[in-house]
Amino acid sequence: MVTESDESRRDFLTLATGAVGAAGVAGAAWPFVKSWSPSADVLSQATTEVDVSGLAPGQMITVPWQGKPVFVLRRTPAQIEAARKADGETLPDPAKDADRTKKPEYLVVLALCTHLGCVPQPIGTGNFGGFLCPCHGSHYDTSGRIRQGPAPKNLPVPHYEFKDEKTLVIGKV
Amino acid sequence: MSKIMEWVDERLPVTELLKSQATEYPTPKNLNYWWNFGSLALLVLIIMIATGLFLAMHYKADANQSFDVVEHIMRDVNFGWLLRYAHANGASFFFLVVYVHILRGMYYGSYRKPREILWWFGIIIFFMMMGTAFMGYVLPWGQMSYWGAAVITNLMSAIPVIGEELVIWIWGGFSVGDPTLNRFFALHFLLPLVIFGVVILHLWALHAVHSNNPDGIDVHDEKDTLPFHPYYTVKDLYGYGVFMIVFCVFVFYAPNFFLEPDNYIPANPMQTPAHIVPEWYFLPFYAILRSIDFLGSFSKLAGVLAMVGAIMILFILPFLDRSPVRSFRYRPLSRQLFWIFVVDCVVLGWVGYNPADAAIFNGALPLIVVGRTCTAIYFGYFFVLWAITAFDIEKHQPVPKSI
């Protein structure tokens, strides 16, 4: 005969078995899930060295870093001034131009629109003398800050250092 | 022969299943041609799986090789051009057929009680189709493939807190790349088989509650129905014939009509094409995504939510529609709403096709405004349909007593 205590005992055992099974499946799933994360060879492409000595004022190059494009712009005094002037305005993602550059002359930004990751067009295409993203019409200024359009954030500044006068190293060494 | 079938039937009741679910399956006698599109969708699914399987035998998923290997299929493989063109155009026709199928369900109230689960399986199939089509489009590794993948995967980054990590996880790197291409190929191969499984569930749910019909009324007795075979087998076959004529015109005479010229340029992660457009079947949803740009830093997440919500809202449609009558044939207000909705979807598609900063009437009307209005109308359809049926605003016309 099945008593009430037997039934609750059985319920408990069913529940416990289910819980152990679920934990086991979750544990076994982890290696599968983790296999999608960047592999060691992808992680190893962490830095890019760029020779900036050939850049004329106003000239911009696009360099690959971790498979992503990075804009390196040698800014003209006018472009620097435009960026500094906008410091005082109300910006969607407030940031001082001085905090976004290590040397005012060089702007180094990740060239991926913060909306949906398109590559913005080169300097001078946007409404604020900066970059226009062609996909959904986001305008960035000469400091790579978002000024107009759907993108929520400024173009990110990757970690970079000047190894010497002419060598720029993007990424953490 | 009959002896063999007897032997089999004793062990597996094949004859009984065929009789009850196919040949003698009772089907409403008044189904119109809009009811052909379910079986047409099945035909296209079979074409896609067949051509896809054989394409996979020649394809290589590799960021350095995929673009070339697709051209190899086109130029060197025997009938490779036919396999690929049938597959690429098949995707467009799959969505065309399924959109008609969905709209038919919306017009004749096929989502209403007791067909909610049948309707939900359909939406799940539609969702998986979108995922499959998206990942398939990435495989030729052209410019549109690459940047389409970049834009769509970046949608995930809108998710708060985990978004950025999630995108890197999906990419298997810091941008769309070789690992992304490989996993998309694997999933593009798997998902259609899963879709096939859900199609079986869809049919099971259909056969449990039986077909709706243009009058939207319940079947009473045998006088209302016809056996599926030969009446609807022959009608479906006729539909197949008409469909194949149209399909073949595109495959053989305009195979690149639906394809983007930019996708014949190899993927270049350093340069985005000046004008990215998704395939036509995603355009209305793409327009909804872009139309939310007035919420500052919240715009991106809101756009993604609106786009996903545009499909998700279909799940609750059975509960929004409170009318005592299923078919819009007898619901004058709903009928007008329906056609506004259809036109709205077409306009959204047109907005999605144009550049984000385009304008019409000599720049007097920015398209973004049109897009926002149409997005409001899209969601408005569901709200107004609920309002006019929940508050008895709509007076329905007399409904026939029987088919």
Side-chain angles (χ1 to χ4, degrees), chain A residues 33-39 42-43 62-64 66-69 112 114-119 121 134-137 149-150 152, chain B residues 146-147 150-151 154-155 168-170 172-175 179 183 187 269-274 276 286 289-290 293 297 299-300 356:
Chain A
V33 171
K34 197 60 192 161
S35 75
W36 266 34
S37 294
S39 56
V42 171
L43 290 173
T62 309
V63 292
Q66 295 188 337
K68 296 174 287 196
L112 291 176
T114 54
H115 183 223
L116 292 171
C118 295
V119 181
Q121 289 169 352
C135 293
H136 308 99
Chain B
Y146 185 91
W147 289 103
V151 168
N154 259 307
L155 294 179
I168 290 175
W169 179 74
I170 287 169
F174 302 102
S175 55
R183 65 192 55 174
L187 292 176
M270 295 295 127
Q271 194 187 16
T272 308
I276 296 192
Y286 190 60
L289 167 78
R290 293 199 306 193
D293 70 336
S297 60
S299 290
K300 183 165 152 182

